[in-house]
């Protein structure tokens, strides 16, 4: 089953790390990035930062 964009329901394609935007908005802790085929939404999967 393909991942689905939470914003529009389009199919998400996983982007390899070498295709992530250089200097773009890639938060620290990002482990995966997906691009929506329908609307070019970018979905970022990151490790949550915990502070005490």
């Amino acid at each position: 089953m393909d991942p689905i964009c939470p914003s529009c329901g389009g199919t998400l394609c996983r982007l390899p790390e070498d295709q992530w935007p250089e200097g773009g908005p890639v938060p620290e802790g990002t482990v995966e990035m997906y691009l929506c085929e329908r609307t070019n939404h970018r979905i970022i999967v990151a490790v949550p930062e915990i502070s005490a």
Side-chain angles (χ1 to χ4, degrees):
M1 182 176 191
D2 292 328
I4 302 297
C5 178
S7 297
C8 70
T11 301
L12 294 175
C13 293
R14 186 172 183 266
L15 292 176
E17 194 168 339
D18 64 346
Q19 292 183 10
W20 294 2
E22 288 186 36
V26 179
E28 288 204 29
T30 298
V31 292
E32 291 185 339
M33 187 176 296
Y34 292 87
L35 186 64
C36 177
E37 290 182 341
R38 184 184 294 172
T39 58
N40 288 329
H41 291 130
R42 213 174 2 183
I43 307 300
I44 296 171
V45 179
V47 176
E49 188 174 312
I50 300 171
S51 61

